[in-house]
Amino acid sequence: MSTNINAEEQPDLSALANLANQFFKALPGQQIKTDPVVGQAHEPVRQDALVESYEPWLYDQGLRNNSFDHSPPSASGVGVSPSAANQNNAVDLRNPQTSFADPNLAGPKPADSVQLPFQEDEPFETRLKEILNNVRVSSPAVRIPFDQDTDAPYYFLKNRNGVLNPKNIFDRDASRVGQPIAPPFDVNLVRNDFPILRERVNGRPLIWLDNAATTQKPQQVIDRISYFYQHENSNIHRAAHQLAARATDAYEGAREKVRAFINAASVNEIIFVRGATEAINLVAKSWSEQNLNAGDEIIVSHLEHHANIVPWQQLAAKKGLKIKVIPVDDDGQILLDEYAKLLGPKTKLVAFTQVSNALGTVTPASRITELAHQAGAKVLIDGAQSVSHMKVDVRALDADWFVFSGHKVFGPTGIGVVYGKEALLNETQPWQGGGNMISDVTFEYTQYHKAPSRFEAGTGNIADAVGLGAAIDYVSRIGIENISRYEHYLLIYATRLLKEVPGIRLIGTAPDKASVLSFVLAGYKTEEIGAALNKEGIAVRSGHHCAQPILRRFGVESTVRPSLAFYNTRAEIDTLVNILHRLKK
Ligand code: PMP
């Protein structure tokens, strides 16, 4: 039997695991399972099977020692939660564990191109990773077609006077303007991590261009959630047993990963919720409800998703508040001068998106925040469409709250985040009451914990928080700046090709955009285009994208909206555009 690893190609981990399984199962005394359908040797592929399969070989190599304890280590490398360890594993119910420093979580982990799930620092595993890394060779770097390959730069790289704006070119690094750069990751290797990208739809390979609605999940996230339920599942914070410690450790470990990802000052500033919608509702129904009074004003932008409009409308109706809207220009850019005119002594809150889900506009978030603060208003930034495409630094933004959904950043559904400044969170009364968020309860009175616990009443979505942590690890390993650069290149490529489709109208042509390509095509309803693309295996969103006000600003009720992620390719865009050309014929 040979594994046929070609140094020019990536090794297929699943195939490797399968082969190894077959090999060791075929040793005397072992049985090969046969797939009843195809009649071939078949094993369900598990990442940890790979380690198991290598085990005899590892013994031979002296890399694994016989006394290895098979009990799984906890996610952050200890069998006890940091908090439990701090309390001699006797958890103090009056002071549950959210904010202890965990030395195991400190500092960035070295980047691995091959990741084995969750096993940490067993010597044999480090060696195994090295072995696998050695055969994992990136394909030749893809040159980005700029200057050399195209005759004209793209319209949206120019400023309003038609002058090329160096800041808009690829990596936004003026020193590299005009130089072809190579994406520092191999998109085909990355794609291998996403099992769903191997699906076929209507007989064609799936082309997932609905990333603004939700992103696909890498195997590492899927495995992490499964591992949680296999080895760690317990309720958190409340019991002094081993699994409670593991689950708490994993959950609080995920909180630390979120903190680092968005550069919050403390884990106490990270609240887990169901998603961006719940996050905005939390701020509306706690701080805003407690602090805003009749006549006060809330400013939102014209670009907002319904999730950042409706909760404010509900509050406005309840409390007699006024909502004001920042207008945008014909490209979909925020009009900062108009915004400045809206600010005044009555402005108490400015809530806006960092990236528009309908147009892709990147808003000048720091400037909007700065002006709001100068007027004495608080600021909420909706990061649902930004965190997966660009580096977010909440301290640099100086937002009072920043919210996002896990499922849009390659994590599971049902988990999201409110970042809030710690002092502000602790001044705010909780919006929901129940277990987990109290330090003392009598029938007369309840004392709440500090943040984040005070905003996490009841049993939260523990496993998916842990899955979100794995997604953040995954994105961080590729590097969010690398993702941003590669996607920017794809966006430019796609925009240029789409513009050539006869009868197309792009909706949202701001110079600074991320991921989204909204359009309408003369002679077709948007749902007809969606259906035609679906026939060819292409998933795009067609509709109002829960952002009706901004589409109406452009005189349409719906658009077709392909939206990109880092696993998309030029070839996929070519397929999309070819179908549109065919439709026009
Ligand atoms: N804000 C924006 C900008 C969004 O794109 C979305 C989701 N489309 C949301 C908020 C709401 O996110 P969720 O549905 O995950 O709560």
Side-chain angles (χ1 to χ4, degrees):
M1 180 181 292
S2 114
T3 51
N4 264 339
I5 296 172
N6 177 342
E8 292 304 311
E9 293 169 4
Q10 53 180 358
D12 178 334
L13 269 192
S14 302
L16 206 58
N18 221 346
L19 281 168
N21 277 340
Q22 288 174 37
F23 174 73
F24 290 113
K25 293 271 169 8
L27 292 174
Q30 309 283 337
Q31 258 189 329
I32 298 181
K33 284 186 197 142
T34 302
D35 188 316
V37 182
V38 293
Q40 285 174 352
H42 165 80
E43 271 288 313
V45 176
R46 296 173 9 239
Q47 294 269 14
D48 57 344
L50 182 62
V51 179
E52 284 167 19
S53 306
Y54 270 93
E55 220 168 332
W57 176 81
L58 291 163
Y59 284 127
D60 285 351
Q61 304 293 309
L63 293 171
R64 186 159 200 167
N65 110 28
N66 281 313
S67 62
F68 175 67
D69 173 6
H70 279 264
S71 67
S74 70
S76 53
V78 289
V80 170
S81 72
S83 45
N86 257 286
Q87 299 175 49
N88 278 337
N89 216 11
V91 175
D92 179 356
L93 292 180
R94 297 168 62 87
N95 185 15
Q97 15 347 64
T98 52
S99 49
F100 293 108
D102 179 356
N104 297 291
L105 297 169
K109 295 255 154 59
D112 287 326
S113 59
V114 174
Q115 192 208 6
L116 293 167
F118 344 118
Q119 304 94 337
E120 298 269 344
D121 298 330
E122 282 292 326
F124 80 95
E125 286 158 356
T126 310
R127 180 80 184 100
L128 182 54
K129 283 181 196 171
E130 278 170 24
I131 290 162
L132 290 169
N133 276 338
N134 285 343
V135 291
R136 193 158 187 172
V137 179
S138 293
S139 64
V142 180
R143 281 185 66 241
I144 291 182
F146 185 72
D147 286 351
Q148 289 86 345
D149 302 353
T150 58
D151 34 13
Y154 314 118
Y155 75 101
F156 66 78
L157 295 175
K158 294 179 182 172
N159 67 18
R160 310 203 122 260
N161 306 320
V163 178
L164 194 65
N165 180 356
K167 280 211 306 242
N168 293 325
I169 299 172
F170 306 128
D171 57 357
R172 298 174 182 147
D173 173 355
S175 68
R176 300 180 65 175
V177 168
Q179 290 178 18
I181 54 168
F185 68 96
D186 182 327
V187 67
N188 292 315
L189 280 185
V190 168
R191 287 175 68 82
N192 263 352
D193 288 333
F194 291 80
I196 207 164
L197 298 180
R198 298 193 277 277
E199 282 298 297
R200 295 183 81 81
V201 170
N202 294 323
R204 314 271 175 175
L206 169 67
I207 296 181
W208 184 257
L209 292 173
D210 197 12
N211 294 291
T214 199
T215 54
Q216 299 301 349
K217 319 304 169 200
Q219 190 65 49
Q220 286 84 341
V221 169
I222 299 167
D223 285 346
R224 184 66 190 87
I225 296 166
S226 156
Y227 184 93
F228 177 85
Y229 283 119
Q230 288 177 47
H231 300 294
E232 298 164 318
N233 181 46
S234 161
N235 213 323
I236 49 171
H237 294 156
R238 292 169 219 163
H241 58 68
Q242 174 67 222
L243 289 195
R246 283 186 199 163
T248 304
D249 206 0
Y251 183 75
E252 295 303 336
R255 201 191 302 276
E256 163 58 22
K257 287 168 205 257
V258 173
R259 184 209 63 73
F261 186 55
I262 59 173
N263 196 30
S266 160
V267 283
N268 297 330
E269 299 181 320
I270 306 299
I271 300 161
F272 284 123
V273 289
R274 207 155 50 84
T277 304
E278 187 170 88
I280 296 168
N281 275 279
L282 183 153
V283 178
K285 291 179 168 52
S286 59
W287 181 88
S288 312
E289 186 153 341
Q290 290 155 28
N291 290 283
L292 303 194
N293 298 306
D296 286 344
E297 294 173 359
I298 296 175
I299 296 180
V300 298
S301 89
H302 211 140
L303 295 167
E304 299 315 309
H305 186 281
H306 298 165
N308 203 22
I309 300 173
V310 181
W312 307 121
Q313 263 172 2
Q314 290 173 330
L315 189 64
K318 193 166 169 184
K319 306 216 44 162
L321 313 175
K322 187 161 180 200
I323 293 181
K324 291 184 163 179
V325 181
I326 314 170
V328 298
D329 67 13
D330 291 345
D331 289 322
Q333 298 180 92
I334 295 271
L335 290 169
L336 274 176
D337 291 348
E338 297 302 315
Y339 164 57
K341 289 183 206 157
L342 300 179
L343 288 163
K346 289 187 182 161
T347 314
K348 291 290 152 43
L349 175 72
V350 177
F352 68 96
T353 191
Q354 195 173 15
V355 173
S356 152
N357 72 311
L359 310 189
T361 311
V362 178
T363 61
S366 294
R367 187 71 187 132
I368 296 174
T369 304
E370 196 183 353
L371 291 171
H373 284 162
Q374 280 170 15
K378 295 268 186 277
V379 174
L380 178 145
I381 299 181
D382 177 354
Q385 295 293 343
S386 63
V387 283
S388 59
H389 303 297
M390 62 182 63
K391 175 74 193 146
V392 166
D393 181 332
V394 288
R395 276 188 275 180
L397 286 169
D398 199 26
D400 297 287
W401 303 276
F402 180 93
V403 305
F404 68 95
S405 297
H407 71 99
K408 302 215 197 240
V409 58
F410 315 100
T413 51
I415 190 75
V417 170
V418 178
Y419 154 83
K421 288 180 180 165
E422 187 166 1
L424 180 61
L425 292 178
N426 285 330
E427 279 162 34
T428 305
Q429 296 307 303
W431 72 315
Q432 292 177 336
N436 208 31
M437 47 82 77
I438 53 84
S439 58
D440 195 29
V441 178
T442 68
F443 281 111
E444 289 75 36
Y445 130 108
T446 293
Q447 185 168 357
Y448 306 126
H449 278 309
K450 291 191 162 179
S453 301
R454 63 168 48 202
F455 295 107
E456 292 184 0
T459 300
N461 190 347
I462 305 165
D464 291 318
V466 175
L468 173 58
I472 286 173
D473 278 347
Y474 186 87
V475 167
S476 305
R477 197 165 287 123
I478 294 176
I480 191 74
E481 284 88 358
N482 295 334
I483 288 172
S484 183
R485 196 178 297 137
Y486 175 70
E487 287 182 1
H488 192 64
Y489 146 63
L490 272 188
L491 190 72
I492 289 170
Y493 181 77
T495 306
R496 177 178 141 239
L497 290 188
L498 279 175
K499 277 191 75 190
E500 286 163 9
V501 176
I504 202 161
R505 177 183 165 211
L506 296 178
I507 310 280
T509 47
D512 207 0
K513 279 183 57 171
S515 171
V516 170
L517 297 140
S518 247
F519 67 86
V520 289
L521 193 58
Y524 288 90
K525 291 188 183 140
T526 53
E527 60 269 29
E528 288 170 345
I529 296 168
L533 293 172
N534 179 55
K535 249 192 190 159
E536 307 286 339
I538 301 180
V540 298
R541 185 54 53 111
S542 52
H544 59 52
H545 321 305
C546 298
Q548 286 179 309
I550 190 59
L551 292 194
R552 288 179 181 150
R553 157 70 178 78
F554 287 88
V556 294
E557 283 295 319
S558 69
T559 67
V560 183
R561 186 195 62 180
S563 50
L564 307 168
F566 59 78
Y567 41 61
N568 291 124
T569 64
R570 268 172 34 168
E572 290 180 326
I573 290 163
D574 292 345
T575 309
L576 167 83
V577 175
N578 285 342
I579 294 165
L580 297 177
H581 276 289
R582 233 167 49 206
L583 277 177
K584 284 310 279 186
K585 276 186 194 151

